[in-house]
């Protein structure tokens, strides 16, 4: 815990609020592994409410720096929601036009948040999931390449670099040599790729584990079942040590447990990552009698609500 003399940061822009997210120890959901430290890095503490703030901001700033983005160009990308919220927020902060392609069955809060920032939303076939959105945005850009800047979060090296320079460095600053295992969900694969590469450079061995859904048809929004999906260009299985497959039921159940037992209301992809981290901790407790497991919680659970229609009421 930081001392009482730490002062609040003064920021010139919301873009400066990205990163330095808290690391919280999970003791109740990991009670069966008392000899192992299990930590969750709460990425919903980013200003846009998710881990995707990191990659979106780096991709945007690097594109502005190189001259690829500016003037009348529209930033366009495919997204299942969180990256789109981040693009939208930073677009508003930096005066950029943003358009997003997403499956029409993405949760309503994510659509509403993106639109609140003035973003145009283009829907793709809900039955084709994130892969359908990728194909659709590529078609749009191919038809009018001068109109759009397409960062392509699935291929852009600045996606994993955001985690190499940010997420992993913050984890090492917080737990240092104690860390033995790192666990992260696999979507675009930026988090696991960038973080694993940085952690593998550390002075002590760190085992890195990717988490993906157990089945092609699943309810873990934001995660990819890689064997049945378009493999992101930034993905390299050699960067991490193993893959853990988690069922939708286990991911959802752990999300519920985190809310009830740890007062952390997290999304289902975060529930899946914590489930895998706790299972690893149990094995470490049984076989080695200790360890330190760090996992990523990408977003909050309220991103998955389907709230009642909001109405603005006027009194004249």
């Amino acid at each position: 815990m930081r001392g009482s003399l730490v002062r609040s940061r003064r920021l010139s822009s919301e873009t400066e609020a990205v990163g330095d997210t808290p690391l919280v120890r999970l003791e109740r959901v990991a009670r069966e592994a008392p000899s192992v430290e299990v930590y969750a890095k709460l990425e919903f503490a980013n200003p846009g409410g998710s881990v995707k703030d990191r990659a979106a901001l780096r991709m945007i700033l690097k594109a502005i720096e190189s001259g690829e983005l500016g003037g009348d160009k529209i930033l366009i990308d495919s997204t299942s929601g969180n990256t789109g919220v981040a693009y939208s927020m930073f677009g508003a902060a930096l005066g950029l036009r943003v358009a997003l392609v997403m499956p029409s069955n993405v949760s309503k809060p994510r659509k509403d948040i993106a639109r609140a920032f003035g973003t145009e939303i283009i829907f793709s076939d809900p039955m084709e999931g994130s892969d359908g959105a990728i194909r659709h945005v590529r078609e749009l850009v191919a038809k009018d390449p001068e109109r759009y800047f397409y960062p392509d979060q699935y291929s852009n090296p600045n996606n994993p670099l955001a985690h190499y320079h940010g997420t992993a460095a913050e984890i090492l600053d917080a737990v240092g040599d104690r860390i033995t295992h790192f666990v992260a969900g696999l979507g675009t694969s930026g988090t696991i790729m960038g973080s694993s590469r940085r952690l593998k450079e550390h002075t002590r061995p760190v085992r890195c584990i990717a988490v993906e859904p157990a089945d092609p048809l699943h309810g873990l929004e934001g995660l990819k079942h890689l064997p049945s999906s378009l493999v992101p260009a930034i993905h390299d299985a050699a960067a991490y040590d193993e893959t853990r497959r988690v069922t939708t039921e286990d991911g959802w159940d752990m999300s519920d447990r985190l809310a009830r037992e740890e007062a952390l209301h997290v999304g289902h992809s975060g529930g899946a990552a914590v489930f895998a981290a706790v299972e690893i901790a149990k094995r470490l407790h049984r076989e080695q009698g200790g360890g330190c497991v760090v996992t990523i919680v990408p977003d909050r659970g309220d991103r998955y609500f389907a709230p009642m229609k909001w109405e603005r009421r006027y009194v004249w």
Side-chain angles (χ1 to χ4, degrees):
M1 181 179 291
R2 295 181 178 181
S4 59
L5 296 179
V6 174
R7 300 176 64 183
S8 297
R9 291 183 293 164
R10 288 178 292 183
L11 309 177
S12 60
S13 168
E14 191 168 25
T15 60
E16 296 177 11
V18 176
D20 291 325
T21 55
L23 203 63
V24 174
R25 184 164 183 181
L26 305 177
E27 297 191 84
R28 295 184 180 92
V29 297
R31 64 172 65 89
E32 294 178 57
S35 67
V36 180
E37 298 174 78
V38 180
Y39 291 97
K41 192 158 177 60
L42 306 184
E43 288 298 294
F44 56 71
N46 282 305
S50 87
V51 68
K52 299 297 186 179
D53 284 12
R54 295 179 184 268
L57 180 60
R58 185 179 175 95
M59 289 188 289
I60 288 172
L61 293 181
K62 291 297 181 182
I64 293 173
E65 184 181 303
S66 68
E68 297 174 89
L69 178 59
D72 294 329
K73 279 207 168 182
I74 300 171
L75 186 155
I76 190 169
D77 209 343
S78 61
T79 173
S80 62
N82 281 333
T83 307
V85 170
Y87 282 145
S88 301
M89 181 183 68
F90 297 134
L94 298 169
L96 303 169
R97 295 169 65 193
V98 178
L100 301 174
V101 178
M102 60 175 65
S104 59
N105 60 346
V106 163
S107 63
K108 186 175 184 295
R110 298 186 191 192
K111 301 171 188 174
D112 292 346
I113 294 167
R115 285 177 171 141
F117 289 112
T119 291
E120 175 190 2
I121 298 180
I122 303 162
F123 292 119
S124 59
D125 188 335
M127 299 307 295
E128 295 182 7
S130 60
D131 286 353
I134 293 170
R135 287 189 284 267
H136 192 57
V137 74
R138 287 175 179 171
E139 291 170 4
L140 292 173
V141 173
K143 288 178 184 176
D144 198 352
E146 296 303 313
R147 186 183 186 197
Y148 297 111
F149 165 68
Y150 175 37
D152 188 3
Q153 60 172 323
Y154 293 92
S155 303
N156 195 318
N158 286 303
N159 180 346
L161 282 171
H163 301 286
Y164 179 94
H165 293 293
T167 313
E170 293 169 20
I171 290 169
L172 291 173
D173 182 62
V175 295
D177 288 342
R178 298 206 306 282
I179 184 172
T180 59
H181 292 71
F182 173 72
V183 181
L186 204 162
T188 67
S189 77
T191 305
I192 187 69
M193 298 305 303
S195 298
S196 294
R197 286 174 176 149
R198 175 64 184 87
L199 293 171
K200 291 293 185 183
E201 296 174 358
H202 189 50
T203 53
R204 69 158 299 157
V206 179
R207 188 165 182 82
C208 298
I209 299 99
V211 173
E212 66 178 51
D215 305 296
L217 296 176
H218 62 87
L220 299 173
E221 188 175 332
L223 297 187
K224 267 183 175 289
H225 179 259
L226 216 56
S228 63
S229 304
L230 294 174
V231 178
I234 58 174
H235 178 263
D236 177 8
Y240 52 90
D241 299 292
E242 66 174 287
T243 299
R244 291 263 177 152
R245 294 196 169 94
V246 176
T247 66
T248 295
E249 290 78 11
D250 285 335
W252 283 51
D253 288 349
M254 181 56 79
S255 293
D256 290 342
R257 285 190 62 194
L258 286 165
R260 292 193 307 266
E261 299 177 37
E262 303 281 1
L264 294 174
H265 188 218
V266 310
H268 302 126
S269 60
V274 172
F275 175 84
V278 170
E279 290 301 300
I280 291 165
K282 290 178 185 177
R283 178 176 56 80
L284 287 172
H285 175 67
R286 289 193 307 268
E287 298 176 4
Q288 299 182 27
C292 177
V293 184
V294 177
T295 191
I296 301 294
V297 171
D299 60 8
R300 296 186 304 269
D302 56 9
R303 286 278 163 96
Y304 301 86
F305 283 163
M308 295 176 64
K309 183 177 180 181
W310 177 78
E311 295 180 357
R312 181 176 292 176
R313 300 179 180 276
Y314 295 95
V315 177
W316 300 97

